[in-house]
């Protein structure tokens, strides 16, 4: 496995099995081909159409780890600052609360009505735990001051 | 017979969506596990897994480090992890496997964790709850606890990361798996077939958070192919939220269905199927 993208035989199995490719103009095979010739357009929105379902990767007859490769391309896009705002917001939530989706007043109520603790026993309850998560992110250069 | 009879104590990894959006999943799971003798222990101070779609797309090293911190919490408890979410499972299972396979990667994560006085300990095993029920707890033992036969017609949704990547999954059959259908049918319900049964819900990879219209189009296509079912049953809160947004029939988490078949009421498991 982990075969080079240049071993692609252009069979199109990846495109055919892609859930996104059925609803939007995104062609997995095209992305693999662009990668093989080193011509990725980091401004192209279609980099973000992949749901990471792994269908293409499991089906590729050449054993190319396509989904992993798409994630690598996205990492490169991130390093170039090409990020969708809602994704940056997710990072900000994790930095500020330890959760990609933090609790809200309505769910606090719902938890109590169900007989659960008002806050889950996570970074929401333990302040020092949140500081640990922040420290790990800060060491990677990610910081969101309040 | 239960595969690993000594293993009845687990670290419960809650993640984000379950405790902070769909606490009925947490509640129903705690109820059924208590009945089944599966002791779930809270992972105090756990964080987001972290979200594979966004974090792994941005910075894989950071994804591994935050996952490593969560794994370390379980290692300190001396218990393997049970997760209730395909996304958390995808992160923690894949991260644990990659770390076990790659000593160099382990060193990178250990170095990062040392700045917060953590190690990585012995890397724990990670189970998805429904995977554990089927492969380890076992259908025979599980059926002993079923006291009320349900007769729902269920559209089963596995989701992607419960099944793939297969190199890190116990069943290699991602095209036509049956274990989740069998768990559903154990409650007396029927798992009905539908054309898009194996299709992705569309939420993953940051698509729902980043480009929601596209994500929902994928979900609509999937749900439109369901005929003759009175509910969709999922093993994942993210698929759950996504499908619920476009579905006319209720979306139910597996623990809720199981709890009903154990005699718990709809109120106790936080659902209203009749609605
Ligand atoms: S992993 Fe991404 S590119 Fe591959 S089939 Fe799934 S959505 Fe398409
Ligand atoms: S499935 Fe593999 S070999 Fe076929 S077109 Fe896609 S990347 Fe190329």
């Amino acid at each position: 496995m982990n075969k080079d993208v240049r071993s692609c035989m252009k069979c199109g199995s990846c495109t055919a099995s892609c859930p996104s490719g059925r609803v939007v103009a995104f062609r997995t095979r095209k992305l693999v081909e662009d990668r093989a010739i080193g011509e990725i357009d980091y401004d192209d929105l279609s980099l973000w159409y992949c749901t990471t379902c792994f269908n293409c990767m499991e089906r590729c007859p050449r054993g190319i780890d396509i989904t992993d490769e798409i994630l690598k391309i996205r990492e490169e896009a991130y390093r170039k600052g090409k990020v969708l705002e809602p994704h940056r917001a997710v990072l900000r939530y994790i930095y500020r609360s330890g959760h990609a989706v933090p609790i809200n007043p309505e769910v606090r109520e719902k938890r109590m009505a169900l007989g659960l603790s008002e806050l889950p026993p996570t970074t929401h309850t333990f302040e020092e735990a949140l500081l640990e998560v922040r420290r790990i992110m800060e060491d990677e250069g990610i910081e969101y001051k309040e | 017979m239960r595969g690993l009879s000594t293993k009845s104590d687990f670290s419960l990894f809650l993640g984000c969506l379950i405790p902070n959006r769909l606490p009925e999943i947490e509640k129903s799971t705690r109820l059924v596990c208590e009945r089944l003798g599966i002791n779930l222990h809270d992972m105090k101070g756990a964080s987001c897994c972290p979200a594979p779609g966004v974090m792994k797309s941005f910075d894989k090293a950071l994804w591994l480090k935050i996952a490593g911190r969560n794994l370390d919490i379980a290692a300190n408890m001396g218990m393997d992890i049970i997760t209730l979410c395909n996304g958390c499972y995808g992160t923690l299972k894949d991260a644990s496997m990659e770390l076990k396979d790659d000593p160099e990667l382990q060193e990178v994560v250990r170095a990062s964790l040392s700045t917060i006085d953590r190690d990585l300990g012995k890397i724990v095993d990670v189970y998805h709850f429904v995977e554990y029920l089927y492969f380890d707890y076992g259908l025979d033992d599980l059926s002993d606890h079923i006291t009320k036969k349900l007769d729902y017609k269920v559209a089963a949704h596995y989701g992607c990361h419960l099944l793939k990547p297969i190199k890190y999954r116990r069943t290699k059959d991602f095209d036509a798996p049956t274990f989740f259908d069998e768990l559903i049918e154990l409650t007396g319900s029927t798992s009905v077939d539908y054309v898009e049964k194996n299709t992705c819900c569309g939420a993953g990879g940051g698509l729902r958070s980043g480009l929601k219209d596209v994500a929902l189009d994928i979900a609509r296509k999937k749900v439109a192919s369901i005929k003759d079912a009175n509910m969709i049953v999922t093993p994942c809160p993210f698929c759950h939220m996504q499908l619920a947004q476009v579905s006319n029939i209720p979306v139910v988490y597996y623990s809720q269905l199981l709890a009903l078949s154990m005699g718990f009421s709809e109120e106790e498991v936080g659902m209203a199927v009749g609605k």
Side-chain angles (χ1 to χ4, degrees):
Chain A
M1 294 306 246
N2 209 358
K3 283 280 266 309
D4 195 296
V5 284
R6 282 167 298 186
S7 68
C8 169
M9 61 190 213
K10 307 187 193 301
C11 70
S13 300
C14 48
T15 299
S17 60
C18 179
S20 283
R22 297 165 69 200
V23 301
V24 78
F26 165 54
R27 302 291 169 258
T28 314
R29 187 183 110 178
K30 170 84 166 48
L31 191 55
V32 173
E33 286 173 3
D34 289 351
R35 183 60 153 182
I37 56 171
E39 283 187 9
I40 295 294
D41 175 4
Y42 292 98
D43 287 309
D44 185 353
L45 202 57
S46 60
L47 295 187
W48 303 95
Y49 284 141
C50 169
T51 69
T52 68
C53 77
F54 290 104
N55 277 352
C56 53
M57 181 162 138
E58 299 298 0
R59 293 215 165 87
C60 175
R62 285 294 167 92
I64 298 169
D65 288 339
I66 304 170
T67 316
D68 293 348
E69 198 63 38
I70 292 172
L71 290 173
K72 279 184 204 150
I73 294 170
R74 286 179 171 186
E75 278 196 82
E76 292 159 15
Y78 171 71
R79 283 198 290 271
K80 291 176 192 293
K82 315 267 183 192
V83 174
L84 300 179
E85 183 43 40
H87 290 158
R88 202 179 285 287
V90 171
L91 274 192
R92 207 155 47 222
Y93 282 129
I94 297 175
Y95 183 83
R96 290 192 176 150
S97 72
H99 285 292
V101 180
I103 195 132
N104 62 31
E106 192 188 323
V107 181
R108 282 177 185 241
E109 291 288 328
K110 196 164 149 192
R111 290 184 61 87
M112 288 193 288
L114 284 166
L116 296 167
S117 58
E118 181 179 352
L119 288 173
T122 60
T123 49
H124 272 336
T125 298
F126 300 95
E127 170 77 20
E128 64 284 5
L130 175 57
L131 296 179
E132 288 184 12
V133 174
R134 286 187 182 170
R135 176 69 199 270
I136 295 173
M137 293 179 83
E138 285 160 7
D139 287 347
E140 291 278 326
I142 296 169
E143 198 165 341
Y144 295 99
K145 292 293 178 210
E146 306 288 327
Chain B
M1 277 300 293
R2 203 184 308 189
L4 299 162
S5 55
T6 53
K7 275 193 172 177
S8 54
D9 287 86
F10 287 90
S11 310
L12 173 64
F13 186 79
L14 290 170
C16 299
L17 285 175
I18 291 175
N20 299 337
R21 285 296 176 276
L22 299 167
E24 56 271 33
I25 296 180
E26 178 180 341
K27 176 67 190 300
S28 54
T29 305
R30 289 185 190 276
L31 284 177
V32 297
C33 284
E34 203 178 325
R35 207 43 96 69
L36 295 171
I38 301 168
N39 304 314
L40 300 177
H41 301 266
D42 288 339
M43 291 175 62
K44 295 195 176 76
S47 67
C48 179
C49 54
V54 172
M55 196 68 98
K56 204 176 172 187
S57 292
F58 282 4
D59 185 339
K60 188 173 174 190
L62 181 58
W63 171 78
L64 267 173
K65 290 169 186 176
I66 297 178
R69 177 182 171 277
N70 284 323
L71 293 171
D72 182 57
I73 293 174
N76 287 336
M77 295 165 69
M79 293 169 209
D80 292 334
I81 290 177
I82 278 187
T83 80
L84 312 174
C85 165
N86 287 5
C88 300
Y89 181 61
T91 282
L92 296 177
K93 177 77 178 182
D94 296 355
S96 70
M97 299 299 277
E98 287 196 35
L99 287 167
K100 283 179 191 183
D101 285 351
D102 188 340
E104 275 176 36
L105 222 47
Q106 263 187 48
E107 274 322 302
V108 172
V109 172
R110 280 185 210 283
S112 167
L113 294 184
S114 72
T115 66
I116 53 169
D117 291 323
R118 286 190 178 273
D119 189 12
L120 191 54
K122 182 182 178 300
I123 299 167
V124 297
D125 288 331
V126 179
Y127 300 85
H128 189 297
F129 181 50
V130 298
E131 169 196 35
Y132 174 75
L133 286 180
Y134 185 85
F135 292 100
D136 303 298
Y137 196 91
L139 293 186
D140 282 353
D141 283 7
L142 195 52
S143 66
D144 291 345
H145 296 273
I146 293 182
T147 54
K148 187 178 163 196
K149 286 285 173 189
L150 310 173
D151 60 357
Y152 298 119
K153 287 187 189 158
V154 171
H157 171 78
Y158 283 77
C160 298
H161 297 157
L162 180 62
L163 303 169
K164 295 165 279 181
I166 57 172
K167 66 179 171 187
Y168 295 146
R169 296 296 179 269
R170 291 166 84 169
T171 171
K172 305 301 171 198
D173 184 2
F174 70 93
D175 260 331
T178 61
F179 70 92
F180 194 47
D181 302 86
E182 291 176 55
L183 282 168
I184 288 166
E185 298 211 321
L186 203 68
T187 68
S189 303
T190 308
S191 176
V192 301
D193 202 13
Y194 60 106
V195 179
E196 304 283 347
K197 186 171 171 185
N198 282 317
T199 303
C200 172
C201 74
L207 194 59
R208 184 178 159 89
S209 56
L211 299 156
K212 200 167 189 177
D213 292 347
V214 179
L216 290 176
D217 278 348
I218 296 174
R220 273 187 209 101
K221 244 191 158 69
K222 174 169 185 113
V223 168
S225 84
I226 299 174
K227 313 273 183 247
D228 289 334
N230 38 39
M231 61 172 67
I232 299 171
V233 173
T234 75
C236 174
F238 203 30
C239 301
H240 192 110
M241 278 177 71
Q242 168 84 348
L243 297 176
Q245 199 170 339
V246 299
S247 171
N248 299 319
I249 54 175
V251 181
V252 172
Y253 185 83
Y254 182 70
S255 301
Q256 294 178 299
L257 183 75
L258 186 59
L260 292 182
S261 76
M262 291 178 168
F264 291 106
S265 69
E266 290 187 10
E267 289 70 36
E268 282 173 294
V269 303
M271 67 189 269
V273 171
K275 263 211 284 193

